[in-house]
Short mmCIF file of all heavy atoms in Angstrom, two decimals:
data_model
loop_
_atom_site.label_atom_id
_atom_site.label_comp_id
_atom_site.label_asym_id
_atom_site.label_seq_id
_atom_site.Cartn_x
_atom_site.Cartn_y
_atom_site.Cartn_z
N LEU A 292 196.04 37.49 8.80
CA LEU A 292 197.19 37.11 9.51
C LEU A 292 197.83 38.22 10.24
O LEU A 292 198.86 38.82 9.82
CB LEU A 292 198.23 36.45 8.44
CG LEU A 292 197.53 35.47 7.45
CD1 LEU A 292 198.57 35.13 6.36
CD2 LEU A 292 197.07 34.24 8.12
N PRO A 293 197.18 38.64 11.33
CA PRO A 293 197.71 39.89 12.00
C PRO A 293 199.06 39.71 12.64
O PRO A 293 199.77 40.76 12.76
CB PRO A 293 196.62 40.12 13.14
CG PRO A 293 195.99 38.78 13.31
CD PRO A 293 195.94 38.17 11.96
N LEU A 294 199.52 38.57 12.97
CA LEU A 294 200.94 38.45 13.41
C LEU A 294 201.94 38.96 12.35
O LEU A 294 202.95 39.58 12.71
CB LEU A 294 201.21 36.99 13.87
CG LEU A 294 200.49 36.46 15.10
CD1 LEU A 294 200.84 34.98 15.26
CD2 LEU A 294 200.90 37.16 16.31
N THR A 295 201.61 38.65 11.10
CA THR A 295 202.54 39.05 10.02
C THR A 295 202.49 40.55 9.90
O THR A 295 203.60 41.22 9.72
CB THR A 295 202.26 38.37 8.75
OG1 THR A 295 202.08 36.99 8.96
CG2 THR A 295 203.22 38.69 7.71
N ALA A 296 201.39 41.21 9.89
CA ALA A 296 201.31 42.63 9.84
C ALA A 296 201.99 43.28 11.00
O ALA A 296 202.74 44.23 10.83
CB ALA A 296 199.80 43.05 9.88
N PHE A 297 201.95 42.65 12.18
CA PHE A 297 202.57 43.14 13.41
C PHE A 297 204.14 43.06 13.21
O PHE A 297 204.82 44.10 13.48
CB PHE A 297 202.14 42.27 14.61
CG PHE A 297 202.90 42.54 15.86
CD1 PHE A 297 202.62 43.70 16.59
CD2 PHE A 297 203.81 41.66 16.38
CE1 PHE A 297 203.23 43.94 17.77
CE2 PHE A 297 204.41 41.89 17.58
CZ PHE A 297 204.21 43.04 18.32
N THR A 298 204.64 41.92 12.78
CA THR A 298 206.11 41.88 12.76
C THR A 298 206.64 42.66 11.55
O THR A 298 207.79 43.04 11.54
CB THR A 298 206.54 40.34 12.47
OG1 THR A 298 205.90 39.83 11.41
CG2 THR A 298 206.16 39.62 13.79
N LEU A 299 205.84 42.79 10.40
CA LEU A 299 206.32 43.65 9.33
C LEU A 299 206.03 45.17 9.55
O LEU A 299 206.43 46.00 8.69
CB LEU A 299 205.50 43.24 8.03
CG LEU A 299 205.90 41.82 7.48
CD1 LEU A 299 205.07 41.53 6.32
CD2 LEU A 299 207.37 41.73 7.18
N ARG A 300 205.36 45.51 10.63
CA ARG A 300 204.96 46.92 10.93
C ARG A 300 204.14 47.51 9.79
O ARG A 300 204.37 48.60 9.31
CB ARG A 300 206.19 47.73 11.21
CG ARG A 300 206.83 47.34 12.49
CD ARG A 300 207.93 48.38 12.90
NE ARG A 300 209.05 48.35 12.00
CZ ARG A 300 210.29 48.80 12.31
NH1 ARG A 300 210.54 49.22 13.52
NH2 ARG A 300 211.24 48.79 11.46
N GLU A 301 203.14 46.64 9.24
CA GLU A 301 202.26 47.07 8.27
C GLU A 301 200.84 47.30 8.79
O GLU A 301 200.53 46.74 9.80
CB GLU A 301 202.21 45.98 7.08
CG GLU A 301 203.46 45.77 6.38
CD GLU A 301 203.78 46.83 5.40
OE1 GLU A 301 202.87 47.54 4.96
OE2 GLU A 301 204.95 47.04 4.92
N PRO A 302 200.09 48.11 8.04
CA PRO A 302 198.72 48.19 8.54
C PRO A 302 197.90 46.94 8.47
O PRO A 302 198.20 46.04 7.61
CB PRO A 302 198.06 49.22 7.47
CG PRO A 302 199.23 49.92 6.90
CD PRO A 302 200.42 48.92 6.90
N TYR A 303 197.09 46.70 9.42
CA TYR A 303 196.33 45.40 9.54
C TYR A 303 195.30 45.31 8.42
O TYR A 303 194.85 46.38 7.96
CB TYR A 303 195.74 45.20 10.86
CG TYR A 303 196.70 45.09 11.94
CD1 TYR A 303 197.08 46.22 12.77
CD2 TYR A 303 197.20 43.86 12.34
CE1 TYR A 303 197.97 46.12 13.78
CE2 TYR A 303 198.17 43.74 13.41
CZ TYR A 303 198.55 44.87 14.05
OH TYR A 303 199.52 44.80 15.10
N ALA A 304 195.06 44.10 7.96
CA ALA A 304 193.91 43.98 7.03
C ALA A 304 192.54 44.47 7.56
O ALA A 304 192.39 44.53 8.83
CB ALA A 304 193.81 42.43 6.70
N ARG A 305 191.67 44.87 6.76
CA ARG A 305 190.50 45.46 7.18
C ARG A 305 189.38 44.49 7.63
O ARG A 305 188.34 44.36 7.04
CB ARG A 305 190.04 46.36 6.04
CG ARG A 305 190.88 47.57 5.63
CD ARG A 305 190.24 48.49 4.69
NE ARG A 305 190.21 47.88 3.35
CZ ARG A 305 189.34 48.20 2.35
NH1 ARG A 305 188.50 49.18 2.53
NH2 ARG A 305 189.47 47.70 1.17
#
Side-chain angles (χ1 to χ4, degrees):
L292 313 171
L294 292 175
T295 307
F297 175 73
T298 56
L299 292 177
R300 293 190 293 201
E301 292 286 342
Y303 294 94
R305 294 185 288 159

